[in-house]
């Protein structure tokens, strides 16, 4: 059966948009039996650049691509969408933390949150623009007042999950597919906790396979926490191909059923699990049934893990206080 999805992408003329749109339009995300329409949102000065992106999408002659809507109006962009990928926001430069963007980018998510009232009843939202968790909190707050359930909102942590898997696979000398149960806890920031203690390699505890506790508790965590900054240092611009790829992975994971012996990481609305303040957008290990995702309960946390999780929780509470007037 052929189905159809409509996807909104904000910041569609930006770096991530450029890497993401062909993946969505080609069928790589929703599969060969799903027709795709794209609603592209940009700020007014970027509309000429967006025209060029639309020309290129036309020139790809994607058989599954139906309609393209290009607009500078959020209410038009979100009309009837099943997925909204909120990418449009300023990226950080060298020497900045993602949280430094909060006062500049946060207000974007107030109007967009409200405009999500126009979306389809089953809309799911992935916030990519940084600081992703707190921007997601802002969008979710305004959209839920307009009737969109908070559980539909996710902040992207998949890039961190992918980075962590790649590091563990390389250290263990295995392919990335051998690494499962990679939980990232907390904020998409330098305080995030990539949890090697619960990760598995070929179904065995990662700590047993790698064995190098000091590396796992120090270098590994720092590499993952600082990977975004390392890419900016090397490239002069923030990650784009890997970020777009992570957004694709996230949507695919949420559209399918997660294996019973695995999980994925996503910033979701905390319900108080693991003692995390309810109402924050916090990254947990989650499982999807293809429509809804839920926090995996009962993951064991050591004192070391709890200390790391407290630190990232404290940062998210601080970010929430900084945007109190936007909530
Ligand atoms: P970019 O500057 O290349 O593109 C951003 C685009 O957003 C621009 O075209 C800009 O015109 C547009 N934009 C700005 N305000 C907008 C608004 N109100 N409505 C619609 N569009 C708007 O940046 P990029 O490299 O594509 O990164 C986008 C965001 O994603 C940044 O905040 C970056 O830090 C973040 N990011 C997050 C992750 C993650 O893992 N969560 C990974 C990489 C990048
Ligand atoms: C990343 O993790 O690569 C993005 O959040 C961009 C950044 O600012 O690091």
């Amino acid at each position: 059966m052929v189905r159809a999805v409509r996807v909104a992408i904000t910041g569609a003329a930006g770096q991530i948009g450029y890497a993401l749109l062909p993946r969505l339009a080609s069928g790589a995300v929703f599969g060969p039996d799903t027709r795709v329409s794209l609603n592209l949102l940009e700020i007014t000065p970027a509309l000429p650049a967006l025209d060029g992106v639309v020309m290129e999408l036309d020139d790809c002659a994607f058989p599954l691509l139906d309609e393209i809507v290009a607009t500078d109006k959020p209410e038009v962009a979100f009309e009837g969408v099943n997925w909204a990928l909120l990418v449009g926001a300023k990226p950080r430069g060298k020497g900045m933390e993602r949280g430094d963007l909060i006062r500049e980018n946060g207000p974007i998510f107030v109007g967009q949150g409200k405009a999500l009232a126009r979306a389809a009843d089953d809309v799911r939202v992935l916030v990519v623009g940084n600081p992703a968790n707190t921007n997601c909190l802002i969008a979710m707050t305004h959209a839920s007042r307009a009737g969109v359930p908070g559980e539909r909102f996710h902040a992207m942590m998949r890039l961190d999950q992918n980075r962590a898997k790649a590091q563990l696979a390389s250290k263990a000398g295995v392919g990335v597919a051998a690494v499962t149960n990679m939980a990232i806890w907390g904020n998409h920031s330098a305080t995030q906790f990539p949890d090697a203690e619960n990760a598995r390699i070929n179904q065995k505890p990662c700590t047993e396979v790698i064995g190098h506790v000091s590396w796992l508790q120090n270098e590994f965590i720092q590499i993952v926490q600082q990977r975004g900054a390392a890419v900016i240092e090397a490239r002069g611009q923030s990650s784009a191909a890997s970020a777009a790829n992570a957004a694709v992975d996230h949507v695919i994971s949420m559209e399918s059923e997660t294996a019973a012996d695995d999980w994925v990481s996503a910033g979701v609305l905390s319900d108080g699990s693991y003692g995390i303040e309810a109402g924050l957008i916090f990254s947990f290990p989650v499982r999807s049934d293809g429509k809804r995702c839920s926090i995996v309960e009962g993951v064991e946390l050591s004192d070391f893990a709890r200390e790391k999780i407290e630190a990232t929780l404290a940062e998210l509470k601080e970010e929430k206080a900084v945007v109190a007037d936007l909530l």
Side-chain angles (χ1 to χ4, degrees), residues 91-93 96-98 101 128 130 159-160 163 188 192 227-229 231-232 238-240 242-243:
R92 66 174 164 157
M96 292 171 74
E97 290 299 333
R98 298 176 187 90
L101 298 164
V128 176
N130 277 320
L159 182 50
D160 309 287
R163 287 169 172 163
H188 174 63
Q192 67 179 272
R227 190 64 162 189
V231 170
I232 293 170
S238 67
S239 63
S242 57

Side-chain angles (χ1 to χ4, degrees), residues 3 12 29 35 37 65 75 97 112 129 147 156 160 167 180 186 202 211 216 256 278 288 292 308 324:
R3 66 172 190 137
V29 179
R35 305 199 63 79
S37 291
L65 181 58
E75 315 78 56
E97 290 299 333
Q112 291 186 2
M156 190 165 91
D160 309 287
Q167 292 299 321
T180 59
N202 287 321
L216 288 172
S256 41
S288 172
R292 307 176 64 152
K308 295 283 176 198

Side-chain angles (χ1 to χ4, degrees), residues 268-325:
V268 299
L269 179 60
S270 173
D271 59 1
S273 296
Y274 298 98
I276 304 306
E277 178 177 303
L280 287 173
I281 300 288
F282 194 91
S283 181
F284 293 97
V286 300
R287 282 201 187 100
S288 172
D289 67 4
K291 296 261 177 240
R292 307 176 64 152
C293 96
S294 48
I295 296 168
V296 178
E297 302 294 346
V299 175
E300 282 188 27
L301 296 171
S302 66
D303 290 345
F304 174 80
R306 287 193 183 276
E307 197 179 305
K308 295 283 176 198
I309 288 172
E310 277 304 317
T312 193
L313 172 61
E315 184 185 45
L316 278 169
K317 286 183 184 168
E318 276 167 33
E319 287 187 12
K320 183 180 177 184
V322 171
V323 297
D325 60 319

